[in-house]
Amino acid sequence: GDEQQQLLPKKVEALAGRRVVAVSPGDGHSLAITADGAVWSWGCGGHGLLGHGDEQRQLLPKKVEALAGQRVVAVSAGLAHSLALTADGAVWSWGNGLYGKLGHGDEQQQ
């Protein structure tokens, strides 16, 4: 992975061999869902918005292990937070909780 500007479409090789069924671009990060319901994230890790339990930048897609065992059917990458919808109708959120946007009843970064 790198941080170079890309002027033409280029395949995300780190996801080659995985059947990606949905993607969502955020301001500084991206999310993808694979056919098995796993979520992958990469980009800026500030506010914990990648879901890896830290604030580390990821230059390549990394599986969100916190959602292991969940079948995710939709994701949305926001400005500083992320959302996932699972097949059982549950909503999962993480990142910057300012203004209560995570829906956890507080303004904590989670």
Side-chain angles (χ1 to χ4, degrees):
D2 60 43
E3 296 184 71
Q4 300 299 312
Q5 183 170 314
Q6 188 66 43
L7 300 178
L8 295 170
K10 182 178 178 181
K11 184 194 291 187
V12 178
E13 292 295 341
L15 291 171
R18 291 177 167 72
R19 188 165 159 259
V20 176
V21 296
V23 293
S24 179
D27 184 54
H29 73 301
S30 299
L31 301 173
I33 305 172
T34 50
D36 61 357
V39 175
W40 298 75
S41 65
W42 63 100
C44 174
H47 307 291
L49 60 102
L50 296 180
H52 301 300
D54 58 28
E55 295 191 51
Q56 297 299 308
R57 177 179 305 183
Q58 293 294 325
L59 298 181
L60 296 170
K62 181 178 177 181
K63 189 174 183 178
V64 179
E65 297 295 343
L67 293 171
Q70 302 294 325
R71 183 165 182 76
V72 176
V73 296
V75 289
S76 183
L79 177 64
H81 69 299
S82 302
L83 298 171
L85 174 67
T86 55
D88 63 1
V91 176
W92 297 72
S93 63
W94 61 96
N96 186 320
L98 189 64
Y99 310 120
K101 63 187 164 193
L102 297 180
H104 301 162
D106 59 30
E107 294 189 78
Q108 297 298 309
Q109 182 169 300
Q110 315 218 0

